[in-house]
Amino acid sequence: MKKQSSAAIVLAAISATIVAAPPAVARDRLTGEAQLAKMLDGREPGKPVNCLPLGQSSEQRIIDKTAIVYRYGSTLYVNRPSNPESLDNDDIMVTKPLNGQLCSVDTVTLIDRNSRFYSGFVGLQQFVPYKKVASAR
């Protein structure tokens, strides 16, 4: 009888630990808007452009349910596509541009990184460049 009650106590303690963990994790995770704001800190927006050249971006990053950020040198181009709720930073982006450029009329198909199944799509909008602000000396 004591073995059963000891096992029940251990099981209850493990269950309580598992249930208690997610709120702490959720509290530390930034929203998509907060992630984007942190990424753009110290930068100012420029005039939006309709297209970016393919193959010259050193990084493309999905910000959950918010935007796609493309890095060209020290400039970040932010695209806030239609249907942003489909964006998941665990997805793989697949684009099929027709003219060698990624443009605001193109769509991005999203593929789940783990299952490799289709998970959604977004329609690109204009790309807003963000450059570092020159510090005053």
Side-chain angles (χ1 to χ4, degrees):
M1 187 114 170
K2 286 190 178 197
K3 285 185 180 182
Q4 287 179 345
S5 62
S6 297
I9 292 170
V10 169
L11 184 57
I14 291 170
S15 296
T17 303
I18 292 171
V19 171
V25 171
R27 186 175 50 232
D28 294 336
R29 189 164 184 198
L30 296 175
T31 66
E33 289 295 339
Q35 289 176 35
L36 184 59
K38 185 176 179 179
M39 184 181 279
L40 298 177
D41 187 39
R43 296 174 179 271
E44 54 186 34
K47 182 179 177 185
V49 297
N50 286 317
C51 296
L52 296 176
L54 281 177
Q56 295 179 16
S57 173
S58 61
E59 177 185 5
Q60 300 99 36
R61 182 171 171 195
I62 295 175
I63 308 297
D64 279 342
K65 302 184 183 347
T66 306
I68 304 172
V69 179
Y70 300 87
R71 179 181 297 276
Y72 284 78
S74 63
T75 303
L76 300 179
Y77 287 86
V78 176
N79 192 291
R80 290 182 174 266
S82 62
N83 199 26
E85 61 277 358
S86 294
L87 292 173
D88 182 331
N89 68 352
D90 264 345
D91 283 344
I92 297 168
M93 296 186 291
V94 179
T95 57
K96 295 179 184 176
L98 299 175
N99 63 0
Q101 294 184 316
L102 194 57
C103 295
S104 58
V105 296
D106 292 327
T107 59
V108 176
T109 301
L110 303 166
I111 306 294
D112 181 88
R113 186 175 305 279
N114 296 316
S115 70
R116 302 288 194 231
F117 287 116
Y118 170 86
S119 64
F121 78 95
V122 295
L124 296 177
Q125 303 295 316
Q126 287 189 312
F127 301 87
V128 179
Y130 283 82
K131 295 186 180 203
K132 290 182 180 179
V133 177
S135 59
R137 292 182 188 212

